[in-house]
Amino acid sequence: MSFQPDSLIPQVGVITDVRIDTPDIKTFRVVTPDGKKAFDHRPGQCAMLSVPGVGEAMFSITSSPTNTEYMEFSIKKCGCVTDWLHQAEVGQQITIRGPYGNPFPVDDVFAGRDLLFIAGGVGLAPLRSVINYCRHYRDRYGKIDIVYGSRSKADLLDYDEILTDWETDSGVNVHLTIDREEVGWSGHVGFVPSFVKELGFATDKTVVLCGPPVMIKFTLEELIAMGFDKTSVYTTLELRMKCGIGKCGRCNVGSKYVCKDGPVFRCDELDELPDEY
Amino acid sequence: MQSVTRQDLLDTALEKLADGTVSHVLGWSRGTFDYEATPTLFSDPDTLRTAFVWNDFCGANLSKYLIKHTRRLEGRLLVFLKPCDTYSFNQLLTEHRFERERVFVVGVPCNGMADPRKLKAQADGILSVTAEGDTLSVETLYDGTRTLAVADLLEERCLTCKSRRHAAYDLLLGEEGEVQDSARFDEVAAIEAMSPDERFAFWQKELSRCIRCNACRDVCPACTCEQCVFGNPSSGVENKAASNEFEEKLFHIIRALHVAGRCTDCGECSRVCPQGIPLHLLNRKFIKEINENYGVYQAGAEVGTRAPLVDFTLDDPEAETVVRRGDDA
Amino acid sequence: MRKCALSVMPDLLRAVAEATPLYLPVDTDKGDALFTRWFEGADWSGACNTARGPKDLFFPQTEDLVAFKTAGKTVEVLDIRREQEDFVVFGVRPCDVKAIEVLDRVFLSEPVDSFYAARRNHALIVTAACSRPTETCFCGTFGIDPTALCGDVTVWKTEDHVYWQAATEQGERFLAALDGFLEDADDTAVTAQRAQTAALLSRLPLHSLRADAFGGGKTEAFFDHPAWDTLSQSCLGCGTCTFVCPTCQCYDIKDFDTGHGVVRYRCWDSCMYSDFTKMAHGNPRLTQKERFRQRFMHKLVYYPENNDGLFSCVGCGRCLAKCPISMNIATVMNTLGGDAR
């Protein structure tokens, strides 16, 4: 007897590479047992990874859809599933299902626009997918600015990729900052919101903002003060999820399900939602 | 019929609010139907006058709410406690769940509370219920107006009432009653008299009805952990599903063990169970065991007593005695 | 319309059960009724309604989804789904039939939940029209006529007869198979009973409860309403209302180590529980007020917003009967409804 696939039944994924990014973030490369990419996705979408017997959790897919060989997930150690994954070695099999959620509107709203990416800490993870997608189709977009901050130099995610790939791209400006002075860091020191203010961007850019809630809150305030409209600022939400398909009820905010109607929201859309995220 | 009237309670509450003794009153208001009462916190005299109820359906034990409200609110709270509720109150004080001086206890005599389930079994389509002396006048959709004796509708726990004497109060309304020589352990003895297979079948049947709603835990004045192990996703135990037949029973057995020696036998667990499982029997079994092995002990009779299971005296039976008695049963 | 004498029902139900698994309301020794697999001697309960709806038959309280075999670094995913067999649910009340429609819109919308869909596709629903509503009933609030034709087949039980009418083709086939038990009938008795029931419904205490103030787009009107504080004040945070509700469909997914492998199962969950939205880094619904509000906002505002105005309450009254503190959706609607901001 064979059945139609069900979203809740995952497929096997193999971890083929584990990169230590920061003291508490590792990036995992995942393919199917026959070495293929598990499924196609769009920038900003997520996948459910699970360790049988430990649990299942939703993660943003940090690799770009233009990567046709594998998917990557940058995962911060902060709970049962993530603790277990951080112990995992290359060759470990897990399960994967997806893609879930809505993507960033890279092919319509973003097309032809100057883009400003602002990320804090592990908040770069969901943006990496869209940044690399836009870099891949460089001629479809205007200028790209990336503001990224973390606690320290060691806490900067994808630092090598930023230095070797992003900073060397023409028309891509990367602005890095860390919270406190440290030896060996000659770049900017300070929090992301004030750094954004210092940099003073033109307000016709489309903004993609992701990071800890407090960073999002203050950065958004700065952007509004600078003259940005909420309709041109996108962010992603994160709530507890179980099914990933808008049925189990857990990530319900007002009439929206973050797993299905999100995780990408425009900031003016968030104002329409009750304050429960 | 209750021996003190709604007006007696209301006058007391209004007086204590007016003279500043208390800032809030914890009592009951009418539920959706006349045979229901919802625990309610009042702070405004007008609301109290219109919404407060005291009748044969005020079975809900208000003592556990004191934990939440004393944390949340300033000032002193007046609470109406029936005799059996005062045992829970004392037990909560023993466990340092709130401060005694934050509460003004008004002891209310109780002649036993009516069980809405028994009422509904006797009258279909209840439109209104009015107390008339020792009877209830019940207006129904199908059988006109029926007159039912409250005595025939009493909750099971009230039929084996352990005490009509308050274990604590600041002000007592009406006349104090006596500790009852109740037959409350007869039901336990009946289960003890079963063969092990019969007993297993009995609990299997009862507990297989459990839907894991956790109402028994959430209402229980002895279940006051800040974070219940059955409500903690990282604890590794299942709080909302019986993964298998064993777990189904495990929840109730663990809970019974956890409240053993602290359970005052208030009976709220069985009152709220939507599936009609006689959960109080598990707890009562422990009380009976404690009484038989260590001497009669009533949790909540006084503040600050040490329950036999967490105390040691030279008179305690040797462990093997307890085990042997367990074997005999 | 067809009919049979009430006295042939045991034989008729036996005939149904012999052909197809049959579930029907049967009285328990606790004084309530539950949907129970037919057994010899099972009597069709006369209860106004079952203690829990037929939800369990489509969306069981616990259900295995998938199993895993793990060895060393390898994981094997085992599809443990089984082929469902046809079954008949007899005696479903019209409110509960509506509740299945509410569940359908969740589980059968894309991506389809194959576990639920398999059961739905194999079920035939025989509705039992109401003739003896009780005080907790308020299906009329949500536009449900509990005497009308619905499900695949509807039966109307009178003092000595049971009247049958099919509502779907599947229902026609079901009745055709029972031809030996049934005779043709006119609808005089049913029409009379429906009028009588309508009169009874108009005398129910919650007859005047209206849902008009609620529906999609009302989040702002009700979300910050000050009454949530007092309404939720005594809520125990238990899951009784959720678990007896025929439309509540939230679930949890968990892994269980059987000792021979891992089974991933789902089980009913409740938005009333404190850990429902708890995450590694916090909880967006910190107090019982937010959890309580979520349940009612979902039934009265969020669900209708996503489902063409359909409310996810059907007025079955189970939560009214079972709430340990007698706080319920009727009280919430009465309190908020006249006071939309």
Side-chain angles (χ1 to χ4, degrees):
Chain A
M1 184 64 224
S2 75
F3 293 93
Q4 291 295 309
D6 189 284
S7 301
L8 299 180
I9 300 178
Q11 54 177 313
V12 174
V14 188
I15 297 173
T16 54
D17 184 57
V18 181
R19 189 172 77 224
I20 300 170
D21 266 294
T22 77
D24 57 4
I25 301 170
K26 286 185 177 179
T27 297
F28 300 86
R29 190 172 290 182
V30 178
V31 297
T32 59
D34 53 358
K36 298 202 176 79
K37 195 171 155 178
F39 43 77
D40 289 325
H41 70 102
R42 307 287 302 147
Q45 285 192 298
C46 304
M48 274 283 192
L49 301 185
S50 96
V51 179
V54 178
E56 200 171 32
M58 188 75 98
F59 298 98
S60 38
I61 304 166
T62 54
S63 52
S64 165
T66 53
N67 179 334
T68 54
E69 293 170 20
Y70 54 81
M71 280 189 262
E72 281 186 335
F73 301 88
S74 294
I75 296 174
K76 183 169 172 163
K77 193 175 165 177
C78 64
C80 304
V81 176
T82 58
D83 281 356
W84 199 95
L85 284 171
H86 271 247
Q87 309 280 325
E89 295 166 2
V90 169
Q92 176 66 47
Q93 296 192 340
I94 57 171
T95 77
I96 180 168
R97 58 188 179 96
Y100 297 122
N102 64 349
F104 287 101
V106 282
D107 293 335
D108 38 53
V109 181
F110 287 10
R113 308 270 304 176
D114 286 350
L115 302 175
L116 169 57
F117 296 97
I118 306 173
V122 75
L124 187 67
L127 298 199
R128 180 175 169 236
S129 167
V130 58
I131 288 171
N132 282 336
Y133 182 88
C134 294
R135 285 179 54 246
H136 184 88
Y137 297 110
R138 189 65 201 85
D139 54 343
R140 295 184 190 173
Y141 307 95
K143 271 178 62 183
I144 295 178
D145 283 279
I146 301 165
V147 182
Y148 178 45
S150 212
R151 278 173 300 188
S152 69
K153 186 180 163 193
D155 285 299
L156 287 167
L157 187 58
D158 304 315
Y159 190 49
D160 295 339
E161 184 174 338
I162 292 171
L163 293 185
T164 57
D165 297 346
W166 298 4
E167 288 200 333
T168 56
D169 264 15
S170 65
V172 176
N173 288 310
V174 183
H175 317 272
L176 299 178
T177 183
I178 59 173
D179 291 356
R180 269 178 292 277
E181 299 272 2
E182 67 178 60
V183 179
W185 179 259
S186 55
H188 186 272
V189 175
F191 296 121
V192 170
S194 56
F195 190 32
V196 169
K197 188 183 176 187
E198 278 174 45
L199 291 163
F201 297 99
T203 59
D204 58 353
K205 290 178 190 297
T206 297
V207 185
V208 182
L209 175 60
C210 191
V214 62
M215 171 262 174
I216 292 186
K217 180 172 178 274
F218 288 112
T219 308
L220 189 60
E221 280 175 16
E222 283 299 347
L223 290 168
I224 303 298
M226 288 161 74
F228 280 89
D229 195 280
K230 279 187 177 175
T231 55
S232 59
V233 182
Y234 291 79
T235 189
T236 69
L237 290 188
E238 187 189 3
L239 282 179
R240 190 154 180 236
M241 296 172 190
K242 285 288 179 174
C243 71
I245 49 177
K247 299 186 198 292
C248 82
R250 201 160 305 253
C251 64
N252 191 199
V253 182
S255 59
K256 303 290 184 200
Y257 290 90
V258 174
C259 70
K260 184 176 66 128
D261 305 308
V264 175
F265 289 93
R266 221 169 53 201
C267 285
D268 61 311
E269 293 169 342
L270 288 183
D271 286 347
E272 303 285 307
L273 296 182
D275 186 19
E276 279 195 341
Y277 50 84
Chain B
M1 182 192 164
Q2 301 303 328
S3 57
V4 289
T5 65
R6 171 186 182 268
Q7 196 61 47
D8 297 334
L9 273 67
L10 184 60
D11 289 344
T12 306
L14 288 170
E15 182 197 316
K16 297 298 171 194
L17 267 182
D19 70 15
T21 308
V22 299
S23 55
H24 294 81
V25 173
L26 186 52
W28 304 267
S29 61
R30 182 183 180 272
T32 305
F33 306 104
D34 288 339
Y35 54 76
E36 296 174 336
T38 300
T40 306
L41 186 74
F42 302 92
S43 53
D44 152 53
D46 289 335
T47 317
L48 195 58
R49 278 186 201 98
T50 51
F52 179 80
V53 297
W54 166 248
N55 57 34
D56 294 320
F57 296 98
C58 292
N61 176 354
L62 304 176
S63 57
K64 188 179 184 181
Y65 285 109
L66 292 168
I67 304 174
K68 173 167 118 177
H69 292 319
T70 52
R71 285 183 189 184
R72 210 168 52 90
L73 302 167
E74 299 280 314
R76 202 171 175 199
L77 265 115
L78 185 153
V79 64
F80 291 107
L81 297 180
K82 306 183 292 291
C84 61
D85 305 340
T86 59
Y87 288 80
S88 308
F89 176 81
N90 275 352
Q91 187 61 31
L92 287 163
L93 286 176
T94 300
E95 294 171 16
H96 308 288
R97 287 311 194 232
F98 49 82
E99 290 164 17
R100 178 65 181 87
E101 55 274 22
R102 295 288 312 281
V103 186
F104 186 86
V105 178
V106 178
V108 198
C110 172
N111 293 336
M113 288 289 155
D115 184 345
R117 282 180 285 211
K118 288 191 179 176
L119 173 66
K120 285 195 265 191
Q122 293 206 25
D124 193 8
I126 299 170
L127 302 177
S128 72
V129 180
T130 320
E132 286 170 0
D134 290 333
T135 64
L136 298 176
S137 172
V138 185
E139 185 195 357
T140 73
L141 195 54
Y142 298 105
D143 306 312
T145 300
R146 308 265 313 274
T147 302
L148 301 171
V150 177
D152 295 335
L153 301 172
L154 287 182
E155 292 185 32
E156 286 300 311
R157 61 175 171 178
C158 300
L159 293 174
T160 54
C161 175
K162 67 176 176 286
S163 175
R164 291 193 172 189
R165 184 159 70 199
H166 293 79
Y169 59 80
D170 293 297
L171 174 71
L172 179 70
L173 297 182
E175 283 187 26
E176 184 65 304
E178 290 303 322
V179 171
Q180 305 289 298
D181 183 18
S182 77
R184 64 181 166 131
F185 296 113
D186 290 0
E187 269 180 290
V188 178
I191 295 170
E192 286 171 346
M194 293 176 183
S195 72
D197 285 348
E198 286 170 341
R199 196 157 53 231
F200 187 81
F202 172 83
W203 284 114
Q204 172 97 319
K205 181 160 179 266
E206 290 293 346
L207 296 179
S208 66
R209 288 177 58 93
C210 176
I211 54 173
R212 295 303 294 270
C213 69
N214 293 304
C216 50
R217 173 197 72 185
D218 294 329
V219 80
C220 176
C223 266
T224 58
C225 290
E226 296 288 324
Q227 170 77 75
C228 175
V229 68
F230 288 105
N232 178 358
S234 48
S235 69
V237 291
E238 305 304 338
N239 61 327
K240 45 207 155 192
S243 319
N244 55 24
E245 270 186 16
F246 178 69
E247 280 222 358
E248 195 171 79
K249 293 182 251 318
L250 199 67
F251 168 67
H252 293 289
I253 292 168
I254 289 177
R255 216 182 73 76
L257 280 162
H258 194 185
V259 301
R262 306 189 297 116
C263 167
T264 67
D265 203 4
C266 78
E268 285 286 89
C269 45
S270 294
R271 180 182 70 84
V272 301
C273 179
Q275 294 290 85
I277 305 170
L279 293 162
H280 68 280
L281 292 178
L282 284 175
N283 306 321
R284 201 174 276 177
K285 164 69 175 166
F286 279 107
I287 297 173
K288 185 168 179 284
E289 285 294 316
I290 290 169
N291 286 351
E292 289 169 3
N293 283 304
Y294 300 98
V296 173
Y297 176 78
Q298 172 61 52
E302 289 161 55
V303 179
T305 52
R306 288 185 71 83
L309 295 181
V310 292
D311 201 9
F312 171 75
T313 71
L314 292 171
D315 299 331
D316 281 354
E318 292 302 320
E320 62 183 30
T321 313
V322 181
V323 172
R324 205 163 50 237
R325 286 187 199 174
D327 281 347
D328 292 345
Chain C
M1 188 164 282
R2 317 276 323 232
K3 74 172 179 182
C4 67
L6 191 55
S7 55
V8 310
M9 280 306 285
D11 291 338
L12 184 151
L13 292 172
R14 183 185 302 107
V16 173
E18 278 166 3
T20 325
L22 166 68
Y23 295 85
L24 77 167
V26 176
D27 288 335
T28 73
D29 56 6
K30 296 280 184 187
D32 58 12
L34 285 173
F35 278 99
T36 308
R37 178 88 179 251
W38 182 89
F39 56 92
E40 190 59 52
D43 273 334
W44 175 22
S45 167
C48 171
N49 211 346
T50 46
R52 291 199 307 284
K55 174 171 85 173
D56 311 35
L57 296 172
F58 301 102
F59 172 47
Q61 180 154 18
T62 60
E63 169 174 28
D64 291 344
L65 299 174
V66 59
F68 304 99
K69 252 192 194 151
T70 56
K73 287 182 176 176
T74 64
V75 171
E76 193 185 342
V77 177
L78 306 172
D79 191 341
I80 50 173
R81 285 179 289 179
R82 276 170 307 177
E83 182 68 9
Q84 288 292 328
E85 53 181 357
D86 286 346
F87 65 102
V88 174
V89 194
F90 177 89
V92 181
R93 293 301 186 188
C95 54
D96 288 338
V97 174
K98 193 73 175 175
I100 295 171
E101 188 191 324
V102 172
L103 295 177
D104 282 353
R105 281 171 174 260
V106 174
F107 289 114
L108 301 183
S109 64
E110 283 298 326
V112 172
D113 184 292
S114 67
F115 301 89
Y116 179 88
R119 296 197 182 85
R120 277 294 279 132
N121 294 338
H122 284 89
L124 180 126
I125 291 169
V126 182
T127 310
C130 292
S131 60
R132 242 182 119 84
T134 195
E135 71 269 16
T136 49
C137 295
F138 59 111
C139 61
T141 300
F142 301 103
I144 298 164
D145 175 357
T147 69
L149 180 70
C150 63
D152 293 305
V153 173
T154 297
V155 297
W156 290 265
K157 180 170 144 187
T158 65
E159 216 152 275
D160 41 18
H161 282 87
V162 177
Y163 290 82
W164 302 70
Q165 192 173 349
T168 63
E169 270 179 40
Q170 202 192 352
E172 297 279 5
R173 285 196 296 277
F174 177 77
L175 286 193
L178 293 175
D179 204 46
F181 292 97
L182 304 175
E183 56 184 289
D184 284 333
D186 65 31
D187 59 5
T188 316
V190 168
T191 308
Q193 189 195 60
R194 290 187 62 179
Q196 207 177 9
T197 310
L200 289 167
L201 291 168
S202 71
R203 291 179 59 206
L204 293 177
L206 297 173
H207 176 68
S208 58
L209 184 65
R210 294 270 66 90
D212 312 345
F214 303 93
K218 297 290 177 72
T219 303
E220 212 178 328
F222 293 112
F223 191 81
D224 289 321
H225 199 291
W228 292 116
D229 282 316
T230 43
L231 288 167
S232 64
Q233 183 188 74
S234 297
C235 177
L236 297 174
C238 75
T240 304
C241 52
T242 323
F243 290 177
V244 300
C245 178
T247 70
C248 268
Q249 105 297 315
C250 288
Y251 61 82
D252 197 355
I253 298 177
K254 294 181 166 214
D255 285 1
F256 184 71
D257 194 338
T258 62
H260 314 286
V262 173
V263 176
R264 180 161 296 163
Y265 68 98
R266 71 168 157 204
C267 59
W268 295 352
D269 204 347
S270 174
C271 56
M272 290 290 199
Y273 287 159
S274 59
D275 65 333
F276 186 68
T277 51
K278 195 171 167 189
M279 292 180 283
H281 64 264
N283 192 342
R285 295 190 203 122
L286 279 173
T287 72
Q288 200 55 30
K289 173 185 155 185
E290 286 96 50
R291 298 167 205 141
F292 180 94
R293 173 172 63 192
Q294 168 66 19
R295 182 162 188 275
F296 298 104
M297 288 294 283
H298 188 254
K299 298 222 173 290
L300 298 169
V301 179
Y302 306 155
Y303 185 95
E305 189 159 319
N306 291 329
N307 293 283
D308 312 310
L310 180 70
F311 288 101
S312 64
C313 173
V314 294
C316 74
R318 290 183 177 92
C319 57
L320 277 64
K322 298 291 188 185
C323 175
I325 62 147
S326 305
M327 175 51 67
N328 53 60
I329 195 164
T331 306
V332 167
M333 290 171 75
N334 267 326
T335 308
L336 301 179
D339 192 21
R341 300 192 311 161

